Amino acid sequence: MIFTLLILSSAIMAVLMVGTGQVRSNIIFYSFQTLLIALTTCVFAYVENEHKHYILALVIFIVKTMGLSLFLLWLTKRIGTARDTGTFLPHPLAMHLSVLLLIFAQILSCQLPHLSKLEDFSAGGTAGISLILTGILFMLTRRLAISQVLGFLTMENGIFLFALTQASGMPLFVEMGIFLDVFVAVMISGLLIFRIKHSFEHIDVTLLTSLKD
Amino acid sequence: MVSYIVYSIMILILPLLLMGFLQKIKAKLQNRIGAPLLQPFFNVLKLWNKTQILSEDASFLFRFGILLNFCIATYLILSVPWLNFSPMIMGLDLFLLVYLLAAARFFNILSALDTGSPFGAFSGSREAALSFLVEPSLVLCLLAPGLLINSNVMSEMFAFKTAVNSDNPAVWIFASLGLFITALVELSRMPVDDPNTHLELTMVHEAMIIEASGRNLALCEYSYALKLTLFFGLSVQCFLHAVSAFLPSNEWLTLFFSVIGMFFLAAVLAMLETVLVKLKWTKCPDFIAYALTMGMFACIVALRGRT
């Protein structure tokens, strides 16, 4: 029961993240989402009685909930972007669309075979697929490079949740490797955003296709 | 018999007391002493004894609209289960509630337009825009508990006895949150409208009643307080259903929690109004979309629980 509640509220946090154009609130919603995923991992470790997942939960909390969120907050402050104007879909409509995607994810996850020992196996699949789809939607409807990073991170969370709940997680070293990759990717993209801002004076990805002398 | 007396006392006292409490908390948070807790009662009494001044261009519609608004608010406060025990008029349909609110708003807008002042005109158009944005979320938030028990009668939906509607807390939490955001918009409180200022740019509700004076204004203020009680009460009831597994089944204790919850919501609103700034008018739909999303979540969880 509490597992289902936690895992679905992380998907709900992702949906709520789509609804606002304020980059700061987006990052705060992302931070809550990862906090809920860390708690889910804790509960999962308790249910499955596997100690490596406690370490995993701690690493998620330190790297994603605190580290990446604070880094991105610092980055937005540094480059002085407050608001994402969005591309082709207004933010409220994108949020309602991602609610529909959540229903779609629920339908999809009901078709999945029972692999996990968990009672309510479909909630994990629902949250995982929904996070992946919401991340894609977030990347599609946003204009700023920093929002693209956030969408990518949301997708990564979805893949992690899906692997955790459907296949009882991957080996600890693989997970750690992924975390390191994500960490480095965000750092490098932060650096790139810095450079883009420096040379183009904006971080609007829709305008990057046009050539500049 | 005792419950009827308690209910009547609640209806008479609670709305204006909530308004006074809201003002007081807000004043305290802003480092002011603030008006006394009973100021809304004094205000209504004072306005009741004042002479009313009507615009020369106003027809019968102006007073009729205000009176009808008050009548609908009174009917709703008697029939909607905003407290934990059953209301005096049973069997209110949830769609009737939505339509009655819409009718009240319609006549409110008409009476604002009737005096021919430009303030009435722009506030009317703003109120109409807000109301059609917020109506779907109100319907969805009320529909979700109805989906749980296959009924659209309010008093059955909010009955505490049935086990079906209390074993699904997520529905009630989403409905509660959605109703609270809806209440902020319906009552034109802070993020969409600043009730304190009388500035042309910011007014929605205040500009609608700007032509009212004397008894008309007293009726306007009282029906506003009734609506505030109604929405806060519904939101608190939803929340109490969510945590009803942990509540003792004593009726009077639940009543106590309901009243405390409403005062708590008023305090939350006072805090929000101290901290938040008014949204830009074009950003209001972004905020209202969250209420609709909460309603959608509530309905999804309710449907998921049924299958």
Side-chain angles (χ1 to χ4, degrees), chain A residues 2-164:
Chain A
I2 188 148
F3 182 74
T4 315
L5 217 63
L6 282 174
I7 206 165
L8 284 179
S9 31
S10 68
I12 282 159
M13 282 296 160
V15 171
L16 295 182
M17 183 177 83
V18 181
T20 171
Q22 298 279 354
V23 180
R24 270 179 64 91
S25 343
N26 285 336
I27 296 170
I28 288 165
F29 273 127
Y30 169 75
S31 165
F32 275 118
Q33 174 196 325
T34 46
L35 179 68
L36 286 164
I37 287 175
L39 287 175
T40 311
T41 318
C42 262
V43 176
F44 189 79
Y46 180 74
V47 172
E48 300 266 298
N49 204 11
E50 277 205 58
H51 295 292
K52 68 166 189 181
H53 287 125
Y54 286 118
I55 306 169
L56 217 54
L58 192 69
V59 172
I60 292 175
F61 181 74
I62 292 170
V63 173
K64 287 190 189 168
T65 312
M66 308 300 291
L68 289 185
S69 304
L70 286 177
F71 173 68
L72 287 173
L73 277 177
W74 173 79
L75 190 66
T76 36
K77 202 174 171 187
R78 185 73 194 271
I79 55 179
T81 46
R83 179 173 281 282
D84 194 328
T85 45
T87 48
F88 59 94
L89 205 62
H91 304 315
L93 284 182
M95 176 160 65
H96 297 154
L97 189 62
S98 58
V99 175
L100 294 182
L101 288 178
L102 186 66
I103 302 174
F104 178 64
Q106 164 75 21
I107 295 168
L108 270 185
S109 68
C110 283
Q111 320 285 326
L112 289 172
H114 297 244
L115 286 178
S116 173
K117 284 169 279 180
L118 285 171
E119 243 177 84
D120 193 358
F121 73 98
S122 72
T126 307
I129 298 171
S130 158
L131 278 173
I132 295 170
L133 293 175
T134 310
I136 295 171
L137 187 74
F138 193 79
M139 288 178 87
L140 278 176
T141 54
R142 295 305 161 116
R143 201 176 269 275
L144 298 184
I146 199 160
S147 308
Q148 308 292 323
V149 174
L150 270 177
F152 163 74
L153 285 173
T154 310
M155 275 168 69
E156 197 271 333
N157 274 343
I159 293 168
F160 170 75
L161 262 191
F162 195 80
L164 182 76

Side-chain angles (χ1 to χ4, degrees), chain B residues 104-178:
Chain B
R105 205 175 297 116
F106 175 72
F107 280 101
N108 219 345
I109 293 170
L110 270 193
S111 65
L113 289 172
D114 189 51
T115 51
S117 87
F119 276 88
F122 77 68
S123 67
S125 79
R126 282 176 187 178
E127 175 91 358
L130 281 182
S131 70
F132 90 79
L133 282 173
V134 84
E135 202 160 55
S137 68
L138 179 64
V139 173
L140 285 181
C141 286
L142 290 177
L143 194 64
L147 282 173
L148 277 182
I149 60 156
N150 269 330
S151 163
N152 51 1
V153 180
M154 295 283 284
S155 53
E156 284 177 24
M157 274 156 51
F158 285 88
F160 268 92
K161 282 129 200 157
T162 47
V164 188
N165 56 7
S166 50
D167 67 351
N168 214 335
V171 177
W172 292 103
I173 285 181
F174 284 129
S176 171
L177 280 173

Side-chain angles (χ1 to χ4, degrees), chain B residues 52-54 62-63 66 212-221:
Chain B
Q52 49 173 329
I53 299 163
L54 283 175
F62 177 64
R63 297 206 58 197
I66 289 170
S213 60
R215 292 185 180 183
N216 293 332
L217 188 57
L219 280 184
C220 282
E221 292 207 336

Side-chain angles (χ1 to χ4, degrees), chain B residues 11 42 73 121 144 182 266:
Chain B
I11 289 175
F42 303 147
T182 309

